[in-house]
């Protein structure tokens, strides 16, 4: 079970201010292309904390790109996760739903790993700070205090990135 604090930043200016303040704690930056083939995972987000079962697996990039071109190829990929999807959900084929890009800046800050996301959808950009932790209430308080002390506007995330993608509009 993945438990994450998710706080939304209202705009690029707030995002840039967070990146600047956290720059001494920067570890790495990931450039992700998130592509979806089905919508069976449903995160529950309550008070800015997301809870969802997550099962991840590395996929050879060449295989991944081939499956982007032809989602039917997913049926023949030797993968523990895909095997589980086929078995548990009875999948007998896959359909590409599309996706979005994320620039994920990672920081080691006050004993926790913060991820500051810039999400690029076809219909707009979204900014979010996430922290996976078994003590979400404590971590959320730490992040909110940091935001308040530095005049950073924020709100609790109410929808997952996938839900926003499927709705094809940014939350208001």
């Amino acid at each position: 079970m993945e438990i994450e604090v998710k706080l939304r930043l209202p705009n690029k200016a707030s995002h840039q201010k967070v990146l600047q303040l956290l720059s001494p704690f920067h570890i790495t930056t990931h450039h992700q292309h998130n592509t979806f083939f089905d919508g069976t995972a449903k995160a529950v987000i309550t008070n800015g904390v997301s809870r969802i079962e997550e099962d991840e697996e590395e996929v050879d990039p060449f295989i991944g790109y081939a499956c982007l071109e032809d989602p039917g190829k997913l049926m023949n990929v030797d993968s523990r996760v895909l095997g589980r999807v086929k078995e548990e959900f009875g999948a007998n084929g896959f359909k590409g739903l599309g996706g979005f890009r994320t620039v994920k800046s990672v920081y080691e800050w006050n004993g926790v790993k913060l991820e500051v996301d810039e999400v690029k959808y076809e219909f707009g950009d979204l900014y979010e700070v996430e922290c996976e932790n078994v003590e979400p209430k404590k971590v959320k308080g730490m992040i909110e205090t940091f935001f308040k002390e530095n005049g950073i506007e924020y709100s609790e995330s109410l929808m997952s990135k996938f839900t926003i993608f499927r709705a094809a509009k940014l939350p208001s």
Side-chain angles (χ1 to χ4, degrees), residues 3-8 44-51 129 136-141 144 154-159:
I3 303 171
E4 269 185 324
V5 173
K6 293 177 169 277
L7 299 174
R8 184 94 6 103
V44 175
I45 300 179
T46 307
N47 299 322
V49 177
S50 168
R51 289 176 169 78
V129 175
K137 189 174 182 177
K138 175 184 171 189
V139 169
K140 184 178 177 215
E144 288 177 327
Y154 71 95
S155 61
E156 294 176 344
S157 294
L158 302 175
M159 300 167 65

Side-chain angles (χ1 to χ4, degrees), residues 2-77:
E2 177 184 75
I3 303 171
E4 269 185 324
V5 173
K6 293 177 169 277
L7 299 174
R8 184 94 6 103
L9 300 171
N11 52 44
K12 187 159 186 75
S14 293
H15 175 257
Q16 290 299 312
K17 187 171 183 178
V18 170
L19 294 180
Q20 177 197 0
L21 290 166
L22 290 174
S23 64
F25 310 102
H26 185 256
I27 299 171
T28 190
T29 299
H30 302 285
H31 296 268
Q32 302 174 334
H33 186 154
N34 304 277
T35 303
F36 300 93
F37 295 97
D38 65 30
T40 56
K42 293 179 175 54
V44 175
I45 300 179
T46 307
N47 299 322
V49 177
S50 168
R51 289 176 169 78
I52 187 169
E53 179 186 349
E54 187 170 87
D55 194 353
E56 295 181 351
E57 178 180 30
E58 291 280 331
V59 175
D60 180 310
F62 294 108
I63 293 171
Y65 287 118
C67 292
L68 282 174
E69 294 293 321
D70 179 5
K73 290 182 178 180
L74 285 166
M75 290 302 292
N76 301 317
V77 173

